[in-house]
């Protein structure tokens, strides 16, 4: 049997329908859609903004300075993209400031979720997580950009990431 990577972004499909993993392997996407390219660009912008914020004095990053610039995948940063990233970064910053700040903020990183399945792993695209030691809480963000609404409640992708992050926290002791 071929090992298939189980990505958290597809968890909403493979959790209720495990057979979809094998079927998707038979029909791989051949070309990245424009919406996917814009999402990748917005993830990059969100990651850049959070990284700048996490490595400076904690001031609000100047996201608007990216307006009109080209991202690494060639998509031009739009007003709509900047607005969405500002809302997202503001939320992450608000929580970080409430629970102890930057030392507990991790931005766009690989998450091993092998407790769910040996082939389960993913990257919080443009995302972040905070471990609040004082309250024993884990905050997880996976930035979304585009036309669809993604509900955080009972979201299989976020739950999958949370399991992997908790797994890593327990392994550290």
């Amino acid at each position: 049997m071929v090992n298939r990577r189980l990505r958290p972004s597809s968890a909403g499909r493979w959790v209720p329908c495990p057979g979809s993993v094998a079927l998707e392997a038979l029909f791989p996407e051949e070309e990245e859609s424009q919406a996917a390219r814009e999402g990748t660009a917005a993830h990059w912008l969100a990651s850049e903004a959070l990284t700048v914020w996490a490595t400076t004095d904690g001031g609000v990053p100047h996201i608007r300075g990216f307006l009109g610039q080209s991202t690494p995948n060639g998509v031009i940063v739009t007003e709509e993209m900047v607005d969405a990233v500002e809302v997202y970064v503001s939320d992450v910053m608000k929580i970080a400031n409430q629970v102890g700040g930057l030392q507990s903020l991790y931005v766009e990183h690989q998450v091993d979720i092998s407790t769910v399945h040996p082939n389960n792993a993913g990257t919080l695209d443009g995302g972040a997580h905070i471990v609040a030691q004082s309250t024993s809480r884990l905050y997880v963000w996976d930035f979304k950009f585009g036309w669809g609404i993604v509900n955080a409640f009972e979201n299989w992708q976020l739950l999958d990431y949370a399991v992997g992050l908790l797994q890593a926290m327990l392994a550290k002791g």
Side-chain angles (χ1 to χ4, degrees):
M1 174 156 177
V2 176
N3 284 337
R4 292 181 179 89
R5 184 158 177 229
L6 295 177
R7 290 180 170 76
S9 59
S10 300
R13 188 171 39 255
W14 56 255
V15 168
C17 182
S20 68
V21 176
L23 192 58
E24 284 178 11
L26 295 175
F27 302 99
E29 290 186 32
E30 294 184 18
E31 191 174 304
E32 187 179 38
S33 69
Q34 183 60 25
R37 288 177 38 76
E38 289 173 1
T40 298
H43 289 156
W44 173 83
L45 181 59
S47 178
E48 287 293 303
L50 286 173
T51 301
V52 166
W53 173 61
T55 58
T56 61
D57 63 1
V60 178
H62 300 285
I63 301 167
R64 296 227 167 255
F66 288 98
L67 192 59
Q69 292 185 19
S70 181
T71 63
N73 70 344
V75 173
I76 302 299
V77 175
T78 64
E79 185 82 28
E80 180 183 25
M81 194 181 296
V82 168
D83 290 345
V85 170
E86 283 181 335
V87 169
Y88 167 70
V89 169
S90 293
D91 187 61
V92 174
M93 291 185 344
K94 180 180 92 178
I95 297 298
N97 287 325
Q98 289 173 356
V99 300
L102 304 177
Q103 68 275 11
S104 60
L105 175 65
Y106 301 87
V107 178
E108 184 141 346
H109 57 283
Q110 181 72 24
V111 180
D112 169 33
I113 317 167
S114 57
T115 54
V116 172
H117 188 280
N119 297 329
N120 189 201
T123 301
L124 281 161
D125 295 328
H129 84 273
I130 294 174
V131 179
Q133 299 293 341
S134 61
T135 60
S136 298
R137 286 192 176 181
L138 171 66
Y139 297 86
V140 182
W141 292 266
D142 189 49
F143 179 63
K144 300 296 184 193
F145 176 76
W147 60 270
I149 295 173
V150 179
N151 192 345
F153 182 72
E154 296 181 353
N155 181 298
W156 284 112
Q157 181 177 7
L158 287 176
L159 290 168
D160 200 31
Y161 281 127
V163 167
L165 294 167
L166 290 170
Q167 169 188 324
M169 289 170 55
L170 291 172
K172 287 182 182 178

